[in-house]
Amino acid sequence: MSGDHDDDFDPEAGFHPSCVGDVGRPEFDAPWQRRAFGLAVALSEFGHYPWEEFQQRLIGAIGAWQEAPSDARGRWEYYEHWVAALSGLVDDRGLLEPGYVMPEDREGGVTHAR
Amino acid sequence: MTERFSYPDDREAASAAQVRALEALLIEKGVISGQTVDKVLGYFESEMTPLNGRRIVARAWVDPAFSDRLVADTPKAVAELDLPVGMAGAEGEHLAAVRNEPGVHNVVICTLCSCFPWPVLGLPPYWYKDPVFRARAAREPRVVLTELGVPLDDDTEVRVWDSSGHSRWFVVPQRPAGTDGMTEDELAELVTTEAMMGVALASAPGAGTR
């Protein structure tokens, strides 16, 4: 594997300094990544889909990137795959469609404590 | 994917716009509220941090019986500690601890995507998600560990654990020498996220970070 990775992650030159420091390690490079993370987790937490389903989507999106020829795929950006997985799942599950039934209103769905 | 919007060419701006639009639509349709995402993020960022993992490891260091229980049934042992309640579904279930011992060093990776034990380690550093790191750590863990500054004897066995939907591994590093007089809280300070991923060792104060 080579070519279109971050320039600061060259395996021949060793690892990025953040690998060996616990302080100030970056979690999100941009606010939209944090937002996308929170959105995917929130929808799962509130019962719109099981987390495993999102996971499988993400694995699929990343797998497709990895199998594409390196000159035909864009630079690596983890959260783009995250957004693609999330967006596809929202479409497939019809979250934005008219008549979408909220998890708490489904028969045999979320049960409420009385 | 449906062409719901047209996006600017710049990838970064396009992704940001896509996420913004998706959240706005979900709010507009009443699927989530305007506060939902902030609440979830707030919980993650305040409660699900490496602090939890540090406390678990420090307890294992001072209490060998707990350490054994931790390896035998991780979720049950973790429940003994007064840690924040994990959010069901958010990669917190199926926690599994592996313990470094003389002659055995454990490394945790995820070759397909990043199945990280969030509740005990927080969110993964970005390089953990890089395909080069994941592929190389699976293929040549000993070489990668050497590059990361982890000294391993030739006769130390390296065990690579691939996180998945079923098990989310974290490493209990070896307690550093020269820490006999330290309290549990002081010991917790010695435990880094990297040590709990197996890409670093825990070090005594003043012993250097490598």
Side-chain angles (χ1 to χ4, degrees):
Chain A
M1 299 188 26
S2 67
D4 48 3
H5 288 288
D6 270 5
D7 290 341
D8 64 354
F9 199 94
D10 179 2
E12 303 305 319
F15 286 91
H16 192 272
S18 67
C19 289
V20 288
D22 199 33
V23 179
R25 70 201 165 89
E27 290 169 348
F28 301 106
D29 294 333
W32 67 267
Q33 298 177 358
R34 178 174 175 273
R35 215 68 207 160
F37 172 84
L39 195 48
V41 173
L43 290 173
S44 164
E45 283 308 315
F46 290 99
H48 295 282
Y49 47 73
W51 185 249
E52 286 68 26
E53 210 166 301
F54 177 78
Q55 200 81 41
Q56 288 308 313
R57 285 261 177 182
L58 183 58
I59 289 171
I62 290 175
W65 183 91
Q66 284 181 310
E67 281 158 28
S70 57
D71 54 353
R73 65 189 186 197
R75 69 167 197 278
W76 168 254
E77 173 52 77
Y78 177 77
Y79 276 100
E80 281 185 4
H81 301 299
W82 185 283
V83 173
L86 172 61
S87 190
L89 197 48
V90 166
D91 278 354
D92 275 11
R93 290 228 156 208
L95 265 67
L96 297 171
E97 301 300 321
Y100 174 71
V101 181
M102 293 287 281
E104 59 269 31
D105 299 328
R106 290 174 203 162
E107 203 176 335
V110 179
T111 49
H112 292 279
R114 287 174 192 273
Chain B
M1 221 187 75
T2 52
E3 290 295 320
R4 196 178 283 126
F5 310 101
S6 62
Y7 301 118
D9 288 337
D10 176 70
R11 284 175 60 181
E12 192 74 17
S15 295
Q18 190 179 2
V19 174
R20 229 179 3 251
L22 188 58
E23 185 181 358
L25 269 173
L26 287 162
I27 293 169
E28 188 190 311
K29 302 272 183 188
V31 177
I32 56 173
S33 84
Q35 290 81 48
T36 302
V37 173
D38 286 315
K39 271 191 213 158
V40 167
L41 283 169
Y43 187 85
F44 261 80
E45 288 168 354
S46 63
E47 304 292 341
M48 303 184 101
T49 71
L51 210 57
N52 299 328
R54 289 175 182 173
R55 288 177 56 193
I56 293 166
V57 169
R59 175 66 57 87
W61 283 352
V62 300
D63 182 347
F66 175 79
S67 181
D68 290 342
R69 291 199 296 279
L70 183 63
V71 173
D73 184 344
T74 304
K76 199 173 162 193
V78 167
E80 294 176 28
L81 304 184
D82 182 26
L83 296 174
V85 177
M87 296 170 76
E91 306 210 41
E93 70 277 48
H94 312 309
L95 283 174
V98 284
R99 186 168 55 192
N100 286 349
E101 285 162 12
V104 177
H105 184 86
N106 296 283
V107 186
V108 179
I109 59 163
C110 180
T111 46
L112 276 175
C113 63
S114 298
C115 318
F116 210 61
W118 295 336
V120 289
L121 294 189
L123 295 175
Y126 79 89
W127 52 266
Y128 184 74
K129 297 173 285 205
D130 188 291
V132 175
F133 172 78
R134 291 183 284 119
R136 286 196 60 218
R139 193 173 64 238
E140 42 179 17
R142 197 174 279 276
V143 177
V144 168
L145 286 170
T146 304
E147 286 175 32
L148 292 173
V150 178
L152 291 176
D153 298 334
D154 286 345
D155 51 1
T156 295
E157 180 194 348
V158 177
R159 294 182 186 160
V160 179
W161 301 87
D162 199 347
S163 275
S164 68
H166 298 295
S167 294
R168 307 189 189 285
W169 305 98
F170 67 97
V171 176
V172 180
Q174 290 195 73
R175 180 171 176 167
T179 58
D180 286 354
M182 293 178 74
T183 66
E184 200 172 324
D185 284 347
E186 288 168 339
L187 288 168
E189 294 291 314
L190 306 180
V191 184
T192 62
T193 303
E194 284 74 13
M196 292 185 282
M197 295 161 65
V199 295
L201 304 179
S203 306
T209 52
R210 291 195 166 195

